Amino acid sequence: MSIFKEYFFKTLRWPLIHRVGPLAALVEGLARAMDEVREDIIWLRDQFNPWTCDAGMIVKHAESRGISRHPAESEAGYRERCIRAFAWHRLGGGQLGMPQILAHFGYPDTEILNVRREDPERWAEFKPQVPVPDSGLHADDFPHIGWIANETKPARSKLAGICVASSVQGATHAGGIIYTTQYSQLLPQPVTAITLDSHVHGGGYLHTVGRISI
């Protein structure tokens, strides 16, 4: 049952509209028409709120808030920036707010480096140092980061470049061996005595020569 029909029949409880007839049909038709008008009013009200408006109205809200969309930005992120436009404008233009804006676009823990440390004369230049995520950084990420920095930087600041920070986890193994060299020299032992374990056999014969003289 529609909202206005329920109101007419259950809240007002006018007895004449509970009878089958032209009056009941007229009241029911009026309730349907008023329901449609109510839905149109709610739809029109929602279009003035970037939280509830149609996707086609986000561009109008963004233009009125001075927000431009990057081609790589998602529809949800673009809408959220329109919803929180006042907060984004408060964050923009400062060194503390830029890391939060970069985190919103998918680059958390970004650090803003002042080039003054390298060259005191370049005091107005800065470099975002972006940690490399597990998925890595692609070629499209660098112009995206540069666009975000230029959109949110202070007016007198200048983007000097983009730095990346990465760490590699690994294990170090150490090993070793003990190598020993030993030289041995074999010398003959001098012979002082020879012992023969054997038997000695001896033998001979007797030869007699006799001479007789007559």
Side-chain angles (χ1 to χ4, degrees):
M1 183 178 293
S2 66
I3 293 178
F4 278 97
K5 184 177 180 179
E6 184 176 2
Y7 174 74
F8 290 150
F9 283 85
K10 292 187 177 181
T11 302
L12 296 181
R13 296 183 179 179
W14 191 23
L16 296 178
I17 63 176
H18 286 276
R19 300 177 182 178
V20 179
L23 183 59
L26 178 63
V27 172
E28 184 172 354
L30 179 63
R32 292 181 180 180
M34 295 180 69
D35 282 336
E36 293 179 358
V37 173
R38 173 183 172 274
E39 292 176 359
D40 292 339
I41 293 174
I42 293 175
W43 177 85
L44 182 62
R45 180 201 64 185
D46 291 342
Q47 303 313 304
F48 287 91
N49 187 352
W51 192 289
T52 56
C53 71
D54 295 341
M57 290 295 297
I58 292 294
V59 178
K60 299 297 182 181
H61 286 290
E63 291 177 353
S64 65
R65 291 162 171 79
I67 297 175
S68 58
R69 181 181 181 182
H70 190 268
E73 187 176 9
S74 63
E75 185 72 30
Y78 186 46
R79 180 186 289 268
E80 184 177 354
R81 283 206 298 143
C82 292
I83 295 171
R84 308 180 188 278
F86 179 74
W88 286 118
H89 287 303
R90 290 288 301 271
L91 290 174
Q95 184 175 353
L96 297 178
M98 291 181 64
Q100 300 182 44
I101 297 176
L102 285 166
H104 165 77
F105 283 97
Y107 306 101
D109 303 325
T110 300
E111 183 181 358
I112 305 301
L113 305 179
N114 197 323
V115 187
R116 180 186 301 175
R117 302 175 184 177
E118 305 173 7
D119 186 357
E121 295 183 358
R122 300 171 63 185
W123 57 270
E125 300 182 27
F126 68 96
K127 296 178 182 179
Q129 180 173 286
V130 184
V132 179
D134 296 337
S135 58
L137 291 175
H138 305 282
D140 297 337
D141 290 321
F142 293 97
H144 192 192
I145 296 171
W147 176 83
I148 298 170
N150 285 321
E151 285 288 320
T152 57
K153 69 179 181 63
R156 299 181 63 183
S157 298
K158 180 179 179 182
L159 179 63
I162 300 173
C163 301
V164 294
S166 177
S167 60
V168 178
Q169 297 181 356
T172 302
H173 303 277
I177 60 172
I178 299 176
Y179 181 77
T180 304
T181 303
Q182 182 176 2
Y183 297 94
S184 300
Q185 186 177 9
L186 299 179
L187 297 177
Q189 186 177 3
V191 179
T192 57
I194 299 176
T195 303
L196 297 176
D197 187 9
S198 63
H199 299 279
V200 179
H201 300 275
Y205 64 92
L206 180 61
H207 179 70
T208 302
V209 176
R211 293 181 180 182
I212 300 172
S213 300
I214 301 175

